[in-house]
């Protein structure tokens, strides 16, 4: 078997989510948009491969990664057997002569400040003119370039070329602009053209012309297309093979004809069913998947389509989040919502992967547990079958409790230790005590996984600020409102230490510390009244990967 | 069935430095209560302008002639204040891009409270919120979204909230201008299904403005095809699709690419410029069935066939 023109192996493209400055300093967890999350496909020379999916599925990201506009996070891209995953600048320049991109919006793809003739000429000036042998030679003169552009415009149907050379993009129609873009691309004689929704922005009555045009170009220049679209009807007409994408993964891939005739993956079926047919005599009752495409930052567990799938199994990946979504939908009916209020509202439930829990008061625990069991029984369906256990446990203490303990201990220990070492140079050890206490408490309070240098740095800066301003207590109160609960305790403990000059004053400092701890303990006791929680635990889902089924690959536990 | 909206000889002319642009010319249209009228056409045909003209949402350089009869009154003869009172109450509109239609600085609940109190200043915020929760349940949006900002919600949810804002006062007519163009095909089907169920519950008529013929075939009771600012053909959906009469409608239906397309077809040429006065049929340069008379004489609308189809074509 000949080597494929393009071979993509387990490609992943993740984008970091940037949270606010303070949150980042506190290390609030790394969130990533899993735009492309393990995609493998290969395109043979001369074929039209369709990448089909709704917005947000990752297909445009793949297009951009292939031409080097976006950096792959992991995986491999092979072009003619050569690894082009991370081309360095010179390699990228050459690569662009082999892989090119046609954009969805032809108007945005052309500079409004240049005539379209100039736009194409610019490319030829930079990359040189193509020769018969496939080499590229620098243009000898402006006349040679203009002649080449005229040739290209003639090829793409913009005749007479001399007329169109001087036009600006806003003087042309959508179809004409798209032809200019195609011409600009063809100037480089690429082998692979990635066409990202090339006709989506054109009117229906001209779409056919553009598609025919693309097929003519393909025949004339021996092109290979990676055709990206959300329009299944166009893909069916144009493509030899297709891959259906959902939330960063390919769920079904194979010959276009058989997939359309006999779609296997439930998402493919849903897409095909949802397309409105321009024939009113064939209206039918559509069974649509529930809900919308979820967030690519936290994709569903197991099969990403399972929360919406009409034929999901209990092993498809049900988890805590699905339970909360189920409750939300169930309680859209105000009747049920008021009757089952003891188990609600939905945001009283906290999900952590396969487990979801709701805190309850000790006297209510049996009632709520029974109610939840009844709700799950009534729900039925694969999610209910995936519930492994419903029980009552001791509640987990809120995060800030840990913060108090750590912070207080750190502050007092740190202060004492440093005081012993540094004697009565209280200034410095006070700072150290406060910094350690703040850092640890704030980190835990914010749910950080570790204390980052940023946290410690923030503590130092704030302490110094406070000391110089002479009003650490005021600053503390301000910080407290930001959530640094424990800092009041810390500083009440450390403030006197900072200015202490005698053991007596240090004793007063520790008294303040104890006072602060007492306040915190009272608050803790109040919160711990709700000291139990009802827990719903789900079965571990079956592992999932693409499987060869007849003439295609499908990623679904049904097969 | 009584008519909820009647357009008679409606024209919209924009004054521009280059001359008058006839965006809409001499349109007659009737929408029956509780029905869906699909208004189809490609970009630049005037369908969006028509939708906005009904609600008097056009810029100052738009000159409107004719009449727009709603609930026994001609909307074009009302004062701005009277129109503002009707708009959002008895007549509502949803637009194409739900992303840009909600105020990014306001929480969802404030959108509802503001809308309700704009029409009824006497309503208390708590009561407005109760009404908001009712309509949100109708569009299947959980009420906890009320506390969120628009950017925290998905596109489909934003469009549902737009629809909910329209339903607050139980309008008799909802104008939907490309409501699903920016949404994916599954979401599109969901929103249209939602609109259908709401229509029954609220006894509301819908004017669905779109370029998507499939949508119109699936959901509309009647279809009006617009070209170059005029109605080319109008009639009940099933007979119109089964046997389109106007050459433009025929060309349009042939060029739709659906799952059964085996051969591509596109209508030759480009739509005409709407600048300045024109004579004859606007489709003349592109029409496969054109005749000499079509170049100089504009075809008036005739009623053709058993289903009393309105067609503006000299062939009939």
């Amino acid at each position: 078997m000949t080597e494929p023109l393009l071979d993509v192996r387990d490609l992943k493209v993740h984008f970091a989510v940037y949270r606010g400055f303070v949150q980042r300093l506190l290390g609030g967890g790394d969130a990533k948009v899993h735009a492309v999350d393990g995609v493998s496909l290969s395109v043979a020379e001369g074929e039209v491969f369709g990448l089909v999916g709704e917005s947000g599925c990752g297909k445009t990201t793949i297009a951009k990664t292939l031409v080097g506009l976006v950096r792959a996070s992991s995986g491999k891209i092979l072009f003619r057997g050569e690894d082009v995953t991370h081309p360095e600048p010179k390699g990228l320049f050459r690569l662009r002569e082999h892989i090119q991109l046609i954009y969805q919006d032809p108007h945005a793809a052309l500079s409004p400040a240049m005539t379209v003739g100039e736009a194409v000429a610019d490319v030829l000036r930079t990359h040189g003119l193509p020769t018969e042998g496939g080499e590229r030679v620098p243009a000898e003169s402006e006349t040679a370039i203009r002649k080449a552009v005229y040739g290209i415009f003639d090829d793409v149907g913009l005749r007479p070329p001399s007329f169109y050379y001087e036009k600006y993009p806003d003087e042309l129609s959508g179809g004409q602009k798209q032809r200019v873009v195609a011409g600009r691309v063809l100037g480089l004689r690429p082998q692979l053209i990635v066409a990202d929704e090339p006709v989506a922005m054109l009117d229906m009555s001209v779409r056919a012309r553009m598609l025919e045009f693309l097929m003519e170009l393909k025949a004339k220049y021996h092109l290979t297309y990676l055709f990206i679209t959300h329009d299944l009807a166009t893909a069916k007409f144009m493509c030899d093979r297709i891959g259906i994408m959902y939330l960063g993964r390919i769920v079904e891939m194979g010959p276009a004809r058989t997939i359309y005739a006999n779609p296997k993956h439930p998402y493919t079926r849903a897409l095909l069913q949802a397309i409105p047919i321009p024939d009113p005599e064939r209206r039918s009752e559509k069974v649509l998947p529930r809900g919308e495409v979820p967030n690519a930052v936290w994709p569903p567990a197991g099969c990403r389509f399972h929360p919406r799938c009409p034929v999901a199994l209990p092993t498809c990946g049900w988890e805590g989040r699905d339970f909360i979504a189920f409750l939300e939908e169930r309680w859209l009916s105000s009747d049920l919502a008021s009757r089952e209020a003891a188990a609600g509202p939905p945001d009283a439930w906290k999900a952590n992967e396969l487990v979801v829990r709701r805190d309850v008061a000790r006297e209510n625990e049996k009632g709520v547990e029974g109610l939840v069991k009844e709700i799950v029984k009534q729900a039925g369906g694969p999610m209910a079958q995936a519930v492994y256990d419903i029980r009552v446990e001791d509640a987990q203490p809120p995060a800030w409790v840990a913060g108090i303990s750590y912070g207080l201990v750190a502050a007092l220990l740190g202060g004492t230790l440093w005081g012993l070492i540094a004697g009565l140079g209280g200034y410095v050890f006070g700072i150290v005590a406060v910094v350690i206490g703040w850092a640890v408490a704030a980190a835990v309070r914010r749910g950080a996984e570790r204390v980052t240098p940023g946290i410690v740095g923030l503590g130092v800066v704030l302490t110094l600020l406070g000391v110089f301003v002479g009003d650490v207590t005021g600053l503390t109160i301000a910080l407290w409102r930001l959530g640094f609960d424990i800092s009041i305790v810390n500083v009440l403990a450390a403030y006197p230490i900072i200015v202490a000059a005698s053991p007596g004053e240090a004793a007063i400092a520790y008294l303040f510390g104890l006072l602060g701890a007492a306040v915190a303990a009272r608050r803790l006791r109040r919160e711990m009244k709700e000291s139990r929680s009802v827990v719903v635990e789900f079965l571990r889902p079956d592992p999932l990967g693409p499987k060869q089924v007849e003439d295609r690959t499908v990623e679904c536990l049904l097969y | 069935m009584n008519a909820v909206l009647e357009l008679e000889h409606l024209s919209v002319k924009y004054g521009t430095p280059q001359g008058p642009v006839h965006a809409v010319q001499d349109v007659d249209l009737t929408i029956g209560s509780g029905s869906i009228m699909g208004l189809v056409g490609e970009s630049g045909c005037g369908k969006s302008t028509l939708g906005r003209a009904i609600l008097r949402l056009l810029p100052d350089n738009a000159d409107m002639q004719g009449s727009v009869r709603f609930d026994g009154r001609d909307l074009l003869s009302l004062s701005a204040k009277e129109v503002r009172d009707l708009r959002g109450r008895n007549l509502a509109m949803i637009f194409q891009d739900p992303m840009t239609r909600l105020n990014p600085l306001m929480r969802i609940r404030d959108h509802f409270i503001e809308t309700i109190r704009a029409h009824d200043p006497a309503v208390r915020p708590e009561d407005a919120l109760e009404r908001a929760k009712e309509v949100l349940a109708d569009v299947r949006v959980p009420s906890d979204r009320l506390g969120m900002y628009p950017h925290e919600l998905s596109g489909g949810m934003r469009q549902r909230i737009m629809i909910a804002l329209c339903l607050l006062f139980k309008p008799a007519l909802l104008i939907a201008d490309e409501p699903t163009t920016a949404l994916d095909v599954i979401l599109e089907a969901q929103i249209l299904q939602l609109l259908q169920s709401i229509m029954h519950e609220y006894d509301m008529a819908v004017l669905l403005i779109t370029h998507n013929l499939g949508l119109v075939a699936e959901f509309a009771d009647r279809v009006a095809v617009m070209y170059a600012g005029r109605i080319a053909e109008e009639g009940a959906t099933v007979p119109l699709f089964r046997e389109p009469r106007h050459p433009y409608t025929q060309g349009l239906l042939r060029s739709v690419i659906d799952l059964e397309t085996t051969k591509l077809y596109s209508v030759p040429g480009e739509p005409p410029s709407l600048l300045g006065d024109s004579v004859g049929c606007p489709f003349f340069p592109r029409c496969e069935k054109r005749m000499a008379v079509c170049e100089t004489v504009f075809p008036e609308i005739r009623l053709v066939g058993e289903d009393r189809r309105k067609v503006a074509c000299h062939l009939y």
Side-chain angles (χ1 to χ4, degrees), chain B residues 265-284:
Chain B
Y265 173 83
S266 54
V267 181
E270 304 277 344
S273 158
L274 298 171
L275 185 62
D277 298 314
S278 59
V279 286
C281 174
F283 192 59
F284 172 74

PDB file of all heavy atoms in Angstrom, chain B residues 265-284:
ATOM      1  N   TYR B 265     -26.212  22.241  -9.446  1.00  0.00           N
ATOM      2  CA  TYR B 265     -26.795  23.262 -10.331  1.00  0.00           C
ATOM      3  C   TYR B 265     -26.686  24.616  -9.650  1.00  0.00           C
ATOM      4  O   TYR B 265     -26.910  24.731  -8.446  1.00  0.00           O
ATOM      5  CB  TYR B 265     -28.276  22.953 -10.587  1.00  0.00           C
ATOM      6  CG  TYR B 265     -28.988  24.045 -11.342  1.00  0.00           C
ATOM      7  CD1 TYR B 265     -28.904  24.118 -12.737  1.00  0.00           C
ATOM      8  CD2 TYR B 265     -29.714  25.029 -10.667  1.00  0.00           C
ATOM      9  CE1 TYR B 265     -29.524  25.141 -13.428  1.00  0.00           C
ATOM     10  CE2 TYR B 265     -30.339  26.042 -11.356  1.00  0.00           C
ATOM     11  CZ  TYR B 265     -30.246  26.098 -12.739  1.00  0.00           C
ATOM     12  OH  TYR B 265     -30.870  27.120 -13.421  1.00  0.00           O
ATOM     13  N   SER B 266     -26.334  25.632 -10.389  1.00  0.00           N
ATOM     14  CA  SER B 266     -26.416  26.963  -9.806  1.00  0.00           C
ATOM     15  C   SER B 266     -27.045  27.917 -10.815  1.00  0.00           C
ATOM     16  O   SER B 266     -26.888  27.761 -12.022  1.00  0.00           O
ATOM     17  CB  SER B 266     -25.037  27.460  -9.385  1.00  0.00           C
ATOM     18  OG  SER B 266     -24.136  27.397 -10.445  1.00  0.00           O
ATOM     19  N   VAL B 267     -27.760  28.886 -10.281  1.00  0.00           N
ATOM     20  CA  VAL B 267     -28.427  29.859 -11.142  1.00  0.00           C
ATOM     21  C   VAL B 267     -27.362  30.767 -11.738  1.00  0.00           C
ATOM     22  O   VAL B 267     -26.566  31.351 -11.000  1.00  0.00           O
ATOM     23  CB  VAL B 267     -29.437  30.693 -10.316  1.00  0.00           C
ATOM     24  CG1 VAL B 267     -30.145  31.682 -11.213  1.00  0.00           C
ATOM     25  CG2 VAL B 267     -30.424  29.789  -9.615  1.00  0.00           C
ATOM     26  N   PRO B 268     -27.308  30.909 -13.053  1.00  0.00           N
ATOM     27  CA  PRO B 268     -26.250  31.727 -13.661  1.00  0.00           C
ATOM     28  C   PRO B 268     -26.406  33.199 -13.292  1.00  0.00           C
ATOM     29  O   PRO B 268     -27.508  33.669 -13.014  1.00  0.00           O
ATOM     30  CB  PRO B 268     -26.457  31.516 -15.172  1.00  0.00           C
ATOM     31  CG  PRO B 268     -27.852  31.015 -15.310  1.00  0.00           C
ATOM     32  CD  PRO B 268     -28.195  30.296 -14.043  1.00  0.00           C
ATOM     33  N   GLY B 269     -25.307  33.925 -13.298  1.00  0.00           N
ATOM     34  CA  GLY B 269     -25.358  35.365 -13.080  1.00  0.00           C
ATOM     35  C   GLY B 269     -25.397  35.744 -11.619  1.00  0.00           C
ATOM     36  O   GLY B 269     -25.217  34.926 -10.724  1.00  0.00           O
ATOM     37  N   GLU B 270     -25.623  37.021 -11.387  1.00  0.00           N
ATOM     38  CA  GLU B 270     -25.638  37.558 -10.019  1.00  0.00           C
ATOM     39  C   GLU B 270     -26.921  38.345  -9.809  1.00  0.00           C
ATOM     40  O   GLU B 270     -27.489  38.860 -10.771  1.00  0.00           O
ATOM     41  CB  GLU B 270     -24.458  38.517  -9.821  1.00  0.00           C
ATOM     42  CG  GLU B 270     -23.089  37.933 -10.113  1.00  0.00           C
ATOM     43  CD  GLU B 270     -22.547  37.160  -8.938  1.00  0.00           C
ATOM     44  OE1 GLU B 270     -23.073  37.322  -7.829  1.00  0.00           O
ATOM     45  OE2 GLU B 270     -21.606  36.380  -9.143  1.00  0.00           O
ATOM     46  N   PRO B 271     -27.353  38.520  -8.552  1.00  0.00           N
ATOM     47  CA  PRO B 271     -28.545  39.347  -8.303  1.00  0.00           C
ATOM     48  C   PRO B 271     -28.286  40.795  -8.725  1.00  0.00           C
ATOM     49  O   PRO B 271     -27.143  41.249  -8.686  1.00  0.00           O
ATOM     50  CB  PRO B 271     -28.740  39.259  -6.791  1.00  0.00           C
ATOM     51  CG  PRO B 271     -27.917  38.139  -6.329  1.00  0.00           C
ATOM     52  CD  PRO B 271     -26.822  37.936  -7.319  1.00  0.00           C
ATOM     53  N   PRO B 272     -29.331  41.516  -9.123  1.00  0.00           N
ATOM     54  CA  PRO B 272     -29.117  42.864  -9.642  1.00  0.00           C
ATOM     55  C   PRO B 272     -28.858  43.869  -8.533  1.00  0.00           C
ATOM     56  O   PRO B 272     -29.165  43.622  -7.377  1.00  0.00           O
ATOM     57  CB  PRO B 272     -30.455  43.181 -10.338  1.00  0.00           C
ATOM     58  CG  PRO B 272     -31.447  42.403  -9.551  1.00  0.00           C
ATOM     59  CD  PRO B 272     -30.749  41.150  -9.104  1.00  0.00           C
ATOM     60  N   SER B 273     -28.302  44.999  -8.918  1.00  0.00           N
ATOM     61  CA  SER B 273     -28.130  46.083  -7.963  1.00  0.00           C
ATOM     62  C   SER B 273     -29.492  46.713  -7.710  1.00  0.00           C
ATOM     63  O   SER B 273     -30.319  46.825  -8.609  1.00  0.00           O
ATOM     64  CB  SER B 273     -27.169  47.111  -8.557  1.00  0.00           C
ATOM     65  OG  SER B 273     -27.367  48.346  -7.934  1.00  0.00           O
ATOM     66  N   LEU B 274     -29.731  47.133  -6.473  1.00  0.00           N
ATOM     67  CA  LEU B 274     -31.018  47.722  -6.144  1.00  0.00           C
ATOM     68  C   LEU B 274     -30.974  49.244  -6.232  1.00  0.00           C
ATOM     69  O   LEU B 274     -31.886  49.932  -5.790  1.00  0.00           O
ATOM     70  CB  LEU B 274     -31.420  47.294  -4.723  1.00  0.00           C
ATOM     71  CG  LEU B 274     -31.589  45.787  -4.556  1.00  0.00           C
ATOM     72  CD1 LEU B 274     -31.764  45.416  -3.095  1.00  0.00           C
ATOM     73  CD2 LEU B 274     -32.789  45.293  -5.345  1.00  0.00           C
ATOM     74  N   LEU B 275     -29.885  49.747  -6.804  1.00  0.00           N
ATOM     75  CA  LEU B 275     -29.705  51.190  -6.884  1.00  0.00           C
ATOM     76  C   LEU B 275     -30.483  51.726  -8.077  1.00  0.00           C
ATOM     77  O   LEU B 275     -30.413  51.197  -9.171  1.00  0.00           O
ATOM     78  CB  LEU B 275     -28.204  51.472  -7.043  1.00  0.00           C
ATOM     79  CG  LEU B 275     -27.738  52.924  -7.035  1.00  0.00           C
ATOM     80  CD1 LEU B 275     -28.078  53.569  -5.710  1.00  0.00           C
ATOM     81  CD2 LEU B 275     -26.235  52.960  -7.253  1.00  0.00           C
ATOM     82  N   GLY B 276     -31.213  52.793  -7.830  1.00  0.00           N
ATOM     83  CA  GLY B 276     -31.890  53.451  -8.946  1.00  0.00           C
ATOM     84  C   GLY B 276     -33.147  52.718  -9.400  1.00  0.00           C
ATOM     85  O   GLY B 276     -33.424  51.602  -8.978  1.00  0.00           O
ATOM     86  N   ASP B 277     -33.904  53.357 -10.255  1.00  0.00           N
ATOM     87  CA  ASP B 277     -35.146  52.738 -10.730  1.00  0.00           C
ATOM     88  C   ASP B 277     -34.838  51.688 -11.788  1.00  0.00           C
ATOM     89  O   ASP B 277     -33.876  51.812 -12.540  1.00  0.00           O
ATOM     90  CB  ASP B 277     -36.050  53.815 -11.331  1.00  0.00           C
ATOM     91  CG  ASP B 277     -36.433  54.834 -10.273  1.00  0.00           C
ATOM     92  OD1 ASP B 277     -36.793  54.396  -9.171  1.00  0.00           O
ATOM     93  OD2 ASP B 277     -36.342  56.040 -10.537  1.00  0.00           O
ATOM     94  N   SER B 278     -35.658  50.659 -11.832  1.00  0.00           N
ATOM     95  CA  SER B 278     -35.444  49.611 -12.829  1.00  0.00           C
ATOM     96  C   SER B 278     -36.753  49.383 -13.585  1.00  0.00           C
ATOM     97  O   SER B 278     -37.832  49.703 -13.094  1.00  0.00           O
ATOM     98  CB  SER B 278     -34.995  48.326 -12.150  1.00  0.00           C
ATOM     99  OG  SER B 278     -35.986  47.922 -11.219  1.00  0.00           O
ATOM    100  N   VAL B 279     -36.608  48.814 -14.776  1.00  0.00           N
ATOM    101  CA  VAL B 279     -37.807  48.454 -15.530  1.00  0.00           C
ATOM    102  C   VAL B 279     -37.799  46.963 -15.771  1.00  0.00           C
ATOM    103  O   VAL B 279     -36.750  46.325 -15.777  1.00  0.00           O
ATOM    104  CB  VAL B 279     -37.879  49.184 -16.894  1.00  0.00           C
ATOM    105  CG1 VAL B 279     -38.235  50.631 -16.694  1.00  0.00           C
ATOM    106  CG2 VAL B 279     -36.573  49.024 -17.642  1.00  0.00           C
ATOM    107  N   GLY B 280     -38.965  46.420 -15.993  1.00  0.00           N
ATOM    108  CA  GLY B 280     -39.041  45.011 -16.315  1.00  0.00           C
ATOM    109  C   GLY B 280     -38.840  44.144 -15.096  1.00  0.00           C
ATOM    110  O   GLY B 280     -38.729  44.616 -13.959  1.00  0.00           O
ATOM    111  N   CYS B 281     -38.767  42.848 -15.358  1.00  0.00           N
ATOM    112  CA  CYS B 281     -38.619  41.883 -14.278  1.00  0.00           C
ATOM    113  C   CYS B 281     -37.166  41.847 -13.814  1.00  0.00           C
ATOM    114  O   CYS B 281     -36.260  41.731 -14.642  1.00  0.00           O
ATOM    115  CB  CYS B 281     -39.052  40.498 -14.779  1.00  0.00           C
ATOM    116  SG  CYS B 281     -38.761  39.179 -13.575  1.00  0.00           S
ATOM    117  N   PRO B 282     -36.916  41.923 -12.510  1.00  0.00           N
ATOM    118  CA  PRO B 282     -35.523  41.955 -12.037  1.00  0.00           C
ATOM    119  C   PRO B 282     -34.770  40.662 -12.316  1.00  0.00           C
ATOM    120  O   PRO B 282     -33.550  40.659 -12.333  1.00  0.00           O
ATOM    121  CB  PRO B 282     -35.667  42.189 -10.518  1.00  0.00           C
ATOM    122  CG  PRO B 282     -37.072  41.833 -10.191  1.00  0.00           C
ATOM    123  CD  PRO B 282     -37.882  42.070 -11.396  1.00  0.00           C
ATOM    124  N   PHE B 283     -35.469  39.568 -12.540  1.00  0.00           N
ATOM    125  CA  PHE B 283     -34.809  38.293 -12.765  1.00  0.00           C
ATOM    126  C   PHE B 283     -34.476  38.083 -14.238  1.00  0.00           C
ATOM    127  O   PHE B 283     -33.836  37.103 -14.611  1.00  0.00           O
ATOM    128  CB  PHE B 283     -35.717  37.157 -12.251  1.00  0.00           C
ATOM    129  CG  PHE B 283     -35.041  35.818 -12.170  1.00  0.00           C
ATOM    130  CD1 PHE B 283     -33.910  35.631 -11.396  1.00  0.00           C
ATOM    131  CD2 PHE B 283     -35.546  34.718 -12.881  1.00  0.00           C
ATOM    132  CE1 PHE B 283     -33.280  34.391 -11.326  1.00  0.00           C
ATOM    133  CE2 PHE B 283     -34.932  33.475 -12.810  1.00  0.00           C
ATOM    134  CZ  PHE B 283     -33.794  33.313 -12.032  1.00  0.00           C
ATOM    135  N   PHE B 284     -34.879  39.038 -15.084  1.00  0.00           N
ATOM    136  CA  PHE B 284     -34.739  38.877 -16.532  1.00  0.00           C
ATOM    137  C   PHE B 284     -33.343  38.409 -16.969  1.00  0.00           C
ATOM    138  O   PHE B 284     -33.234  37.445 -17.729  1.00  0.00           O
ATOM    139  CB  PHE B 284     -35.130  40.187 -17.226  1.00  0.00           C
ATOM    140  CG  PHE B 284     -34.845  40.191 -18.689  1.00  0.00           C
ATOM    141  CD1 PHE B 284     -35.642  39.471 -19.568  1.00  0.00           C
ATOM    142  CD2 PHE B 284     -33.769  40.909 -19.212  1.00  0.00           C
ATOM    143  CE1 PHE B 284     -35.385  39.471 -20.928  1.00  0.00           C
ATOM    144  CE2 PHE B 284     -33.507  40.904 -20.560  1.00  0.00           C
ATOM    145  CZ  PHE B 284     -34.313  40.187 -21.433  1.00  0.00           C
TER     146      PHE B 284
END
